[in-house]
Amino acid sequence: MAFIDTPSNRDFFESNRAPAGHVPNFVTTFAARPAVYDAWKQLNGAIKESMDLRRYELATLAAATALKSSYCSLAHGQVLADKFYTSEEVAALVDEPPADPVDRAVMAFARKVALAADTITQADVDELKAVGLTDTDVLDVVLAAAARAFFSKTLAATGTPPDAAFNTLPETLRKALTVGGPIHSG
């Protein structure tokens, strides 16, 4: 499983079960620092609630795939496939820019924030504004991508594998979104 051992924290696990009933592997990773996990949920929730859900998921998927986070790519790709696109369309987003110019600009910008935020220039922001984003919209994309970097890097550095439940995703989607470490087999 993970590279680190964390304490068994039954109350923490019970209060953070996934809707499907299992305790996600990332919850187990944060068991040693429940306050950090609670702060993460609050931060991520605040970012997510200020954005259109589809845009949030596209920006998050772009950052997660750029960071080679299978866990986050699978989770957010699944949301996109469940709510907005077909599995094949989501799988294509990993390697092909979306046809929509706004979505294409958002995903490209989120990738750049995740990998090379220090290279962002006014011209990058102006590209987003040229397709209709406001300054607040740009900030939302930055926040989504930067927050994803925290979570993705935490999971990668601790060796936290994606949940075995992701093995039930359609094969095309599962393979495309497994951009880093493999899905947990157990």
Side-chain angles (χ1 to χ4, degrees):
M1 185 115 153
F3 302 147
I4 61 171
D5 291 324
T6 55
S8 180
N9 187 333
R10 187 177 188 91
D11 291 338
F12 179 70
F13 295 156
E14 290 304 317
S15 66
N16 289 292
R17 280 193 180 282
H22 71 282
V23 176
N25 292 340
F26 66 81
V27 169
T28 303
T29 296
F30 280 95
R33 295 291 180 257
V36 173
Y37 182 63
D38 288 343
W40 159 254
K41 288 193 310 186
Q42 185 176 356
L43 172 65
N44 195 51
I47 294 166
K48 189 175 178 179
E49 84 178 21
S50 70
M51 294 180 75
D52 168 77
L53 180 61
R54 191 175 67 78
R55 182 173 290 163
Y56 167 82
E57 294 297 344
L58 287 169
T60 300
L61 178 66
T65 56
L67 294 163
K68 304 293 185 209
S69 173
S70 292
Y71 208 137
C72 294
S73 296
L74 288 156
H76 294 278
Q78 182 177 23
V79 172
L80 285 166
D82 288 348
K83 296 183 184 251
F84 302 106
Y85 301 103
T86 67
S87 293
E88 293 77 17
E89 289 169 329
V90 174
L93 290 174
V94 175
D95 295 318
E96 300 170 23
D100 180 84
V102 176
D103 293 346
R104 185 173 45 251
V106 165
M107 291 187 78
F109 186 75
R111 284 184 181 104
K112 191 167 184 180
V113 170
L115 295 177
D118 62 312
T119 68
I120 300 283
T121 66
Q122 184 66 52
D124 295 310
V125 173
D126 290 345
E127 284 181 33
L128 291 173
K129 290 180 176 184
V131 294
L133 272 69
T134 65
D135 286 330
T136 303
D137 295 332
V138 173
L139 177 60
D140 288 340
V141 175
V142 169
L143 293 171
R148 187 55 39 200
F150 161 76
F151 202 72
S152 292
K153 289 179 181 228
T154 299
L155 299 182
T158 58
T160 304
D163 302 329
F166 289 118
N167 283 313
T168 64
L169 290 175
E171 183 178 2
T172 303
L173 184 62
R174 187 181 68 249
K175 284 185 174 184
L177 297 175
T178 306
V179 295
I183 297 171
H184 188 249
S185 60

